[in-house]
Amino acid sequence: MTDLKDATRAPDWQDDVRQGVRHVRDLDRLPLSPAERAAAQAAAALHKVRAPKAYLDLIDWNDPADPIRAQVIPSLGELEEVEGELGDPIADHEFSPVPRLTHRHADRVLLFPTYQCAVYCRFCFRKESLTSIGRGYTREALEPALAYIADHPEIREVILTGGDPLSLPDKALAEIFARIEAIPHVRLLRIHTRVPVALPSRITSGLVAVLQGRLMVTVVTHFNHAREITPATEVACRIMRQAGFVLLNQSVLLKGVNDSVEVLEELCRELMYRLGVKPYYLHHGDLARGMAHRRTTIAQGQALVEALRARLSGICNPVYVLDLPEGGGKVPIGPCPIEGRDGESWRIRGQDGAVRTYREIVGE
């Protein structure tokens, strides 16, 4: 059993960031071959590179296909853009009525308190905004967005994203939380973050204390591989669970990282059984530029999630979704078990592969 008391004795999270990779020049410190280093530097010159020491320590540098390495170390594949790829794959900017806010769905908005991250994932669908904007948190920058939320009573849920909101210091998060909590019609605060994965030392009792109050709080983490689940991430998730937060996870289906049923099965089971984090979404790779080498086909994804349903309980199964371009939103794209219909009789494929007839019987 993990000694949670000992595991909490983590280094200061800011030291963890400083000792990691923060600039292109820091790539010189990594055990890369000259060719790999040159490729990484070329890709990092186009899109920012950053990874805390704790996350880099998970990499097996003797394995060129290491799944952690593939997520954060720049590669030449990122420089190969394919026709049809997009700079703003899900139309964040098109649905932005004021700076730092996206209002795509009726009852909820995305709020961007910062465009900076503790770790820059190479597959990120917002990587062009993060590289070109690169602005941190200021009270003044958020004022138009907070005023917009206050003026729209249909908004029930505010989603902090970015950038990574948990890369901000406690004082800034306390200010943001207080402003949102003071808006009566907002009921739930959702936080999308990679911090519990890549920088678990950041999750402290002080952090969760500033996020407790009237609002229901949901934290959506971003684990992509079971190798990212460590004693430190276990402690981080336990702290958040004990604070009363609802914990969900959204993964991205990535070629060469988690595109096998065995890898996804282990990830989803350990998220739920070890961390108490519900696998929420499995995203099909967005059409971000330079990411063709990491995308699977939809058919491959459907086959994977169909196999998962036969191996895992329902609570461990994520929903396979595609975030449509032009602001179409997330739509489920998992395999459909309905084979056909004849009036009140439906032909439905079971988990054993057999097709059975189900007749609807309803009252008047």
Side-chain angles (χ1 to χ4, degrees):
M1 178 181 290
T2 301
D3 188 336
L4 296 178
K5 184 176 179 181
D6 288 344
T8 58
R9 296 175 187 145
D12 179 82
W13 67 275
Q14 292 177 328
D15 285 342
D16 209 341
V17 171
R18 284 190 287 267
Q19 293 170 19
V21 168
R22 295 190 292 164
H23 307 284
V24 174
R25 61 179 178 271
D26 294 333
L27 293 169
D28 290 336
R29 296 191 276 106
L30 301 182
L32 302 171
S33 69
E36 290 171 326
R37 183 170 292 107
Q41 290 171 337
L46 182 63
H47 298 297
K48 288 181 179 178
V49 60
R50 176 173 289 187
K53 181 180 184 298
Y55 197 65
L56 292 171
D57 286 346
L58 300 179
I59 297 175
D60 178 0
W61 294 104
N62 294 316
D63 180 7
D66 180 89
I68 314 298
R69 177 178 183 156
Q71 294 182 66
V72 293
I73 303 302
S75 68
L76 282 181
E78 298 173 41
L79 302 178
E80 299 174 5
E81 295 184 11
V82 177
E83 184 179 357
E85 292 182 325
L86 303 168
D88 183 16
I90 64 171
D92 277 336
H93 302 315
E94 182 179 344
F95 289 84
S96 180
V98 296
R100 298 196 178 224
L101 181 140
T102 294
H103 193 177
R104 185 181 295 110
H105 305 291
D107 66 341
R108 57 200 181 277
V109 294
L110 301 176
L111 181 65
F112 300 83
T114 180
Y115 290 99
Q116 298 173 350
C117 291
V119 57
Y120 288 118
C121 304
R122 307 318 301 174
F123 52 86
C124 179
F125 67 92
R126 290 196 180 111
K127 62 183 181 180
E128 298 199 24
S129 292
L130 302 183
T131 294
S132 61
I133 299 173
R135 293 191 295 271
Y137 165 73
T138 66
R139 296 173 189 163
E140 295 74 19
L142 279 189
E143 283 302 327
L146 292 168
Y148 180 94
I149 295 169
D151 289 343
H152 287 75
E154 73 273 19
I155 296 171
R156 297 287 185 267
E157 182 174 342
V158 174
I159 302 166
L160 298 187
T161 185
D164 195 318
L166 295 191
S167 66
L168 295 172
D170 291 354
K171 181 179 179 181
L173 287 168
E175 291 176 347
I176 296 165
F177 183 86
R179 291 295 303 277
I180 296 171
E181 188 177 45
I183 301 173
H185 51 263
V186 176
R187 305 279 302 280
L188 185 145
L189 180 71
R190 196 195 316 176
I191 300 170
H192 286 189
T193 178
R194 190 93 152 108
V195 158
V197 184
L199 188 61
S201 57
R202 173 68 186 100
I203 307 300
T204 64
S205 57
L207 170 64
V208 300
V210 304
L211 298 173
Q212 290 180 300
R214 174 183 67 82
L215 298 173
M216 179 67 71
V217 174
T218 297
V219 177
V220 183
T221 63
H222 186 172
F223 290 85
N224 287 321
H225 196 283
R227 284 263 308 282
E228 296 170 324
I229 299 174
T230 67
T233 62
E234 185 178 356
V235 170
C237 290
R238 177 162 294 188
I239 290 172
M240 292 188 290
R241 290 203 325 272
Q242 290 175 341
F245 300 165
V246 175
L247 302 185
L248 306 173
N249 186 76
Q250 51 185 356
S251 302
V252 178
L253 182 58
L254 297 166
K255 185 187 297 184
V257 173
N258 57 14
D259 59 332
S260 77
V261 67
E262 292 80 13
V263 169
L264 287 175
E265 178 185 3
E266 183 183 11
L267 169 64
C268 294
R269 182 175 283 120
E270 291 304 295
L271 281 169
M272 193 68 246
Y273 294 173
R274 183 174 174 185
L275 300 186
V277 177
K278 168 72 176 86
Y280 175 44
Y281 282 146
L282 175 63
H283 286 264
H284 187 74
D286 293 298
L287 294 176
R289 291 189 181 121
M291 282 295 102
H293 66 294
R294 290 294 174 206
R295 281 192 293 272
T296 69
T297 67
I298 290 176
Q300 288 171 325
Q302 290 177 325
L304 286 171
V305 296
E306 187 166 32
L308 278 183
R309 287 198 62 81
R311 293 172 177 236
L312 295 170
S313 69
I315 199 170
C316 294
N317 271 278
V319 178
Y320 184 38
V321 295
L322 173 64
D323 216 333
L324 288 169
E326 301 177 354
K330 297 180 184 69
V331 293
I333 56 172
C336 180
I338 297 174
E339 298 286 337
R341 175 188 179 187
D342 183 11
E344 296 175 345
S345 294
W346 296 75
R347 294 185 302 281
I348 302 175
R349 186 178 66 258
Q351 289 190 11
D352 59 0
V355 177
R356 296 173 173 85
T357 297
Y358 173 84
R359 186 171 67 87
E360 291 182 309
I361 302 174
V362 295
E364 293 297 331

